[in-house]
Amino acid sequence: MKKTYYLFRHGLTQAVKDKRWYWGKLYSADILDEAKPSIIKIGELLKDIDSDFNVSSPFKRCIQTSEIITEITGKKFVTDRRLGEYAFEFPWTFKKRVMGFIEDMENSKHRTVIICTHAVVLEMLIQYFTNGNISLRHRIKAPLTGVLTIIKDKKISSKDFNQ
């Protein structure tokens, strides 16, 4: 079954802005007020998309981002721990976790899926949905916060809402 994926990172956080690791705020970091305009723009675009599954990482910054999208679109998000940030785990365990999510999506009857997640998970999803494989050695640069990535039939496009 052909699927379309709409993928985006959580809104801008202080750690992302400062280009540093989250440390003690890995699970609890808030998005910044300055993140909201780009999230609102993403929501405005997603409002007209007929999605049948909307899912988010359970980390606070993704939940906050998804809640803003929900306010605009009316689309409810469920959380899935497999979309959580890479957090002090073995690389193969991390890959297995994300692959479990991917396999569930690929085997599901969902046709249009909206996903809010984190940089490394987003990179892995893009790798798989465009070329059918994930390599932890070959990394692409994750789209910035405020960028919506659309993958349909292994073709990728993006819209940057940071302007």
Side-chain angles (χ1 to χ4, degrees):
M1 177 184 306
K2 293 187 179 196
K3 298 179 186 283
T4 303
Y5 295 96
Y6 292 83
L7 308 139
F8 55 95
R9 283 173 72 179
H10 56 77
L12 185 68
T13 62
Q14 195 62 52
V16 170
K17 187 175 181 177
D18 295 344
K19 297 180 179 167
R20 62 174 168 77
W21 182 245
Y22 286 94
W23 298 112
K25 297 237 179 210
L26 182 64
Y27 301 97
S28 63
D30 289 302
I31 62 171
L32 300 172
D33 285 340
E34 64 192 85
K36 293 177 183 174
S38 62
I39 298 168
I40 290 168
K41 290 175 188 173
I42 291 172
E44 289 295 329
L45 186 140
L46 293 175
K47 181 169 50 176
D48 298 325
I49 301 301
D50 187 20
S51 63
D52 54 355
F53 189 64
N54 312 306
V55 61
S56 169
S57 159
F59 287 37
K60 186 176 182 181
R61 54 196 180 272
C62 283
I63 291 172
Q64 289 175 324
T65 302
S66 298
E67 286 172 346
I68 293 168
I69 300 292
T70 296
E71 287 175 20
I72 296 162
T73 65
K75 298 176 189 321
K76 304 278 190 232
F77 283 75
V78 297
T79 59
D80 191 315
R81 67 169 196 76
R82 297 173 296 180
L83 293 174
E85 180 74 88
Y86 179 71
F88 314 109
E89 58 195 303
F90 293 115
W92 60 88
T93 306
F94 178 57
K95 182 178 178 180
K96 182 178 178 181
R97 170 167 59 91
V98 175
M99 279 304 302
F101 173 80
I102 290 169
E103 289 168 4
D104 284 354
M105 290 302 99
E106 293 289 89
N107 294 324
S108 75
K109 293 183 180 182
H110 305 307
R111 296 182 60 94
T112 305
V113 180
I114 298 173
I115 302 170
C116 178
T117 190
H118 309 272
V120 178
V121 177
L122 185 57
E123 288 179 5
M124 294 169 79
L125 296 174
I126 291 170
Q127 282 182 17
Y128 186 85
F129 294 144
T130 57
N131 69 34
N133 193 18
I134 292 175
S135 171
L136 295 176
R137 293 185 186 154
H138 174 269
R139 297 212 23 221
I140 59 173
K141 185 178 178 187
L144 299 172
T145 60
V147 174
L148 178 67
T149 301
I150 304 160
I151 301 173
K152 182 175 185 172
D153 301 328
K154 297 191 176 205
K155 292 182 177 65
I156 187 169
S157 63
S158 63
K159 296 182 185 280
D160 187 339
F161 293 99
N162 289 307
Q163 287 85 20

